[in-house]
């Protein structure tokens, strides 16, 4: 709005400058016209005086065409325009000048205006008229405008025009500001609507406006909002289905590893023990090889158990989310010698829907894995709270003291698809994820609605590495 008003003022000032220039030109031309008209009137007046002297009084002078004392009268002065000086030069006599008063033309012009006027127009051109066209030696009349008279006349007209123009400009500016401000009110509403769309509120719609152009914009924004809502719903449903398929694949893979690979390792351990027990006393090398096979089998079994812990979620159906989290923390404390994981569960987690429980478990699992993998913590705190006072939600927080850069994690640098997977998983449930700095490390905080309501995502804040 301020830009538009500024442009309007620029146009008004440009028009005002043009009007001032035109007034100055018109004043200059008026002075020239008055100078010429005065010369004509005075010459006619003097010529009339000559004929009166010739016919009525028979007093024609041999030296001058017109008796000198008779022309400088009130009647002659009355035909001289204000600010004009008339000079009569009969032959053989010194020229004599008659000037009209200039006070009637207004106040004196400022010095800067006079300098500008002289720079633009220069001095007025005198007008010369011969008293008799038959005899140019009879004398002549010269009419010239006084410089101060031209300045006064021009300044008076410019002052009037500038005063009127300034009043009009002020009125136009005030009215234009009010009209433009009123016309741009829908723009603010549109901007607020776009910001709500940016925040994820896809159910908000713009109202109808009186202006046809803003109505077109509002219609386009509402259509975009509807399309985004449909796209987001389809993406959420697809993401939910993908995670369900992922869980099914994990369970199938865990079952196959346990049934097939686990049995093979068990059989390998039994065979190694049989070889060690049946080795002859003189074949100590066979017993050593059997023990080496047993040690390798034990390491493979430990790795298999760890993989099964990461893959399995069916324990949630069997022992519940809280017990599964305790088992997850216990496994990390057993495997990690440099960091201690502490669990704090607040509220009841037994009645959570299956998919919500699985997602909470997976998010906690990913956060702990990232904390151990990408940082150097000595302590990791996992806190899960069921908040059901105002909204039935689950709050999950993981905080470590292993350093790390939250901004680096938010950008996804060096963390593969783990953070992205957590965001998508929580997004499918209508929750929010925040990643930020903790006291000595980084912190991740997730809010997950128990009913899975999809109110959009809010990312920012804190996370863990």
């Amino acid at each position: 709005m301020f830009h538009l008003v500024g442009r309007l003022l620029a146009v008004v000032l440009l028009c005002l400058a043009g009007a001032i220039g035109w007034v100055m030109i018109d004043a200059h031309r008026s002075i020239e016209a008055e100078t010429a008209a005065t010369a004509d009137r005075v010459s006619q007046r003097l010529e009339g005086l000559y004929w009166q002297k010739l016919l009525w009084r028979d007093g024609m002078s041999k030296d001058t065409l017109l008796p000198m004392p008779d022309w400088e009268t009130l009647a002659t002065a009355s035909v001289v325009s204000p600010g004009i000086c008339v000079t009569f030069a009969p032959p053989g006599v010194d020229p004599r000048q008659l000037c009209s008063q200039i006070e009637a033309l207004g106040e004196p012009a400022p010095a800067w205006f006079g300098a500008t006027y002289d720079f633009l127009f220069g001095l007025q051109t005198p007008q010369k008229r011969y008293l008799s066209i038959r005899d140019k030696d009879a004398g002549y009349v010269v009419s010239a405008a006084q410089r101060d008279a031209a300045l006064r006349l021009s300044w008076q007209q410019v002052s009037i025009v500038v005063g009127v123009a300034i009043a009009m400009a002020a009125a136009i500016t005030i009215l234009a500001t009010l009209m433009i401000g009123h016309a741009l009110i829908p723009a603010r509403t549109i901007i607020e609507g776009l910001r709500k769309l940016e925040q994820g509120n896809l159910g908000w719609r713009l109202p109808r406006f009186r202006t046809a152009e803003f109505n077109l914009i509002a219609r386009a924004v509402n259509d975009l909002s509807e399309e985004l809502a449909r796209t987001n719903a389809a993406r959420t449903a697809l993401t939910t289905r993908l995670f369900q398929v992922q869980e099914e694949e994990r369970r199938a893979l865990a079952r196959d590893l346990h049934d097939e690979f686990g049995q093979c390792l068990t059989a390998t351990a039994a065979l190694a023990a049989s070889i060690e027990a049946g080795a002859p006393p003189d074949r100590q090398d066979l017993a050593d090889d059997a023990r080496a096979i047993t040690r390798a089998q034990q390491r493979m079994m430990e790795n298999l158990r760890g993989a099964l812990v990461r893959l399995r979620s069916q324990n949630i159906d069997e022992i519940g989310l809280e017990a599964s989290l305790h088992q997850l923390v216990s496994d990390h404390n057993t495997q990690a010698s440099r960091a201690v994981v502490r669990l704090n569960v607040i509220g009841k987690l037994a009645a959570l829907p299956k998919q919500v429980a699985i997602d909470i478990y997976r998010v906690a699992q990913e956060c702990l894995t990232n904390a151990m993998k990408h940082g150097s913590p000595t302590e990791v705190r996992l806190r899960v709270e069921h908040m059901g006072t105002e909204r039935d939600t689950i709050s999950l927080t993981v905080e470590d003291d292993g350093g790390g850069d939250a901004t680096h994690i938010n950008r996804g640098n060096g963390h593969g698809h783990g953070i992205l997977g957590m965001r998508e998983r929580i997004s499918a449930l209508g929750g929010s994820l925040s990643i930020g700095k903790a006291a000595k490390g980084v912190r991740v905080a997730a809010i997950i609605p128990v009913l899975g309501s999809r109110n959009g995502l809010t990312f920012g804040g804190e996370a863990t590495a």
Side-chain angles (χ1 to χ4, degrees):
M1 183 179 66
F2 291 107
H3 289 168
L4 291 177
V5 173
R7 293 175 183 176
L8 181 61
L9 283 177
V11 172
V12 170
L13 292 177
L14 182 61
C15 295
L16 179 60
I20 292 174
W22 176 257
V23 169
M24 293 178 68
I25 294 174
D26 184 68
H28 181 75
R29 291 176 177 175
S30 298
I31 292 294
E32 289 183 341
E34 288 296 329
T35 302
T38 298
D40 293 336
R41 291 194 298 267
V42 171
S43 63
Q44 293 174 5
R45 173 67 180 169
L46 293 179
E47 187 176 3
L49 289 176
Y50 161 71
W51 286 110
Q52 288 178 12
K53 202 69 173 177
L54 177 64
L55 297 178
W56 296 349
R57 300 181 183 180
D58 194 19
M60 182 176 179
S61 174
K62 300 298 183 182
D63 298 328
T64 61
L65 181 62
L66 188 67
M68 292 299 295
D70 294 338
W71 82 279
E72 294 176 315
T73 62
L74 184 60
T76 304
S78 65
V79 298
V80 180
S81 298
I84 306 296
C85 289
V86 177
T87 302
F88 174 49
V93 180
D94 293 335
R96 298 176 66 174
Q97 191 178 65
L98 178 64
C99 294
S100 177
Q101 294 182 352
I102 64 174
E103 285 75 11
L105 297 177
E107 298 294 330
W112 62 268
F113 184 81
T116 304
Y117 186 88
D118 292 340
F119 175 77
L120 295 176
F121 303 104
L123 298 177
Q124 294 285 341
T125 303
Q127 300 292 327
K128 186 176 182 180
R129 300 290 187 272
Y130 288 98
L131 188 60
S132 176
I133 60 175
R134 299 181 181 87
D135 186 6
K136 293 187 178 181
D137 294 333
Y140 59 87
V141 175
V142 176
S143 176
Q146 301 180 58
R147 176 182 177 275
D148 193 36
L151 293 179
R152 289 190 181 209
L153 179 61
S154 181
W155 175 249
Q156 182 186 30
Q157 296 183 8
V158 168
S159 300
I160 295 174
V161 171
V162 170
V164 174
I166 290 177
M168 292 181 62
I172 290 174
T173 302
I174 295 174
L175 293 177
T177 302
L178 295 177
M179 293 179 64
I180 293 174
H182 184 268
L184 292 181
I185 290 177
R188 302 174 185 173
T189 306
I190 293 175
I191 292 175
E192 293 176 358
L194 292 176
R195 288 176 178 172
K196 290 183 179 180
L197 291 181
E198 181 185 7
Q199 296 170 358
N201 187 1
L202 302 181
W204 191 84
R205 295 294 183 270
L206 287 172
R208 291 182 57 85
F209 301 110
R210 295 181 180 178
T211 308
E213 290 77 6
F214 283 121
N215 266 334
L216 294 176
I217 297 176
R219 188 182 307 170
V221 172
N222 291 338
D223 292 343
L224 175 62
S225 178
E226 293 177 359
E227 183 63 27
L228 288 175
R230 288 192 294 267
T231 303
N232 189 59
R235 183 184 64 84
T236 301
L238 178 60
T239 303
T240 303
R241 180 55 185 162
L242 287 176
F243 282 119
Q244 292 175 354
V245 172
Q246 184 184 64
E247 290 298 328
E248 294 173 0
E249 291 294 331
R250 284 181 171 182
R251 286 194 292 269
L253 181 59
R255 184 173 56 254
D256 293 340
L257 288 176
H258 180 271
D259 295 343
E260 301 294 335
F261 195 57
Q263 291 181 5
C264 292
L265 289 177
T266 302
T268 301
L271 182 60
S274 176
I275 293 175
E276 181 182 4
D282 58 344
R283 295 297 305 275
Q284 188 63 32
D285 57 331
L286 290 178
D288 294 338
D289 292 340
R291 286 190 290 272
I293 293 174
T294 301
R295 291 192 295 271
Q297 185 269 345
Q298 291 175 351
R299 288 195 299 271
M300 295 178 67
M301 286 295 293
E302 292 177 358
N303 293 332
L304 178 60
R305 291 192 187 96
L308 291 177
V309 168
R310 292 189 297 271
L311 290 174
R312 285 173 129 177
S313 62
Q314 60 264 32
N315 286 340
I316 295 177
D317 297 335
E318 300 170 0
I319 63 176
L321 175 60
E322 184 173 353
S324 298
L325 291 175
H326 280 287
Q327 182 178 349
L328 176 65
V329 170
S330 176
D331 291 339
H332 273 282
N333 288 330
T334 301
Q335 297 173 5
S337 58
R338 57 187 175 89
V340 176
V341 182
R342 304 186 186 278
L343 175 64
N344 183 16
V345 178
I346 302 175
K348 297 181 179 180
L349 305 180
L352 295 179
K354 176 182 177 181
Q355 189 59 43
V356 175
I358 292 175
D359 287 330
I360 292 173
Y361 179 84
R362 291 302 183 195
V363 171
Q365 186 182 48
E366 181 66 27
C367 289
L368 294 179
T369 301
N370 287 341
M372 301 300 180
K373 182 178 180 181
H374 299 290
S376 301
T378 58
E379 183 182 46
V380 181
R381 293 183 296 275
L382 171 61
R383 183 173 182 271
V384 181
E385 180 181 2
H386 187 184
M387 300 180 296
T389 55
E390 297 182 359
R391 295 192 328 173
D392 195 10
T393 58
I394 298 294
S395 172
L396 186 148
T397 305
V398 178
E399 183 176 337
D400 64 58
D401 59 357
D405 186 359
T407 304
H408 186 78
I409 297 173
N410 272 316
R411 294 173 181 171
N413 299 330
H415 293 272
H417 300 284
I419 300 297
L420 179 60
M422 284 195 298
R423 292 188 190 279
E424 293 294 334
R425 187 181 293 274
I426 295 174
S427 172
L429 294 174
S432 62
L433 179 70
S434 60
I435 299 176
K437 183 174 179 57
K440 297 182 180 180
V442 288
R443 181 175 181 270
V444 65
I447 301 295
I448 302 174
V450 173
L451 299 179
S453 59
R454 291 168 174 80
N455 299 323
L457 288 174
T458 302
F459 296 143
E462 312 167 16
T464 188

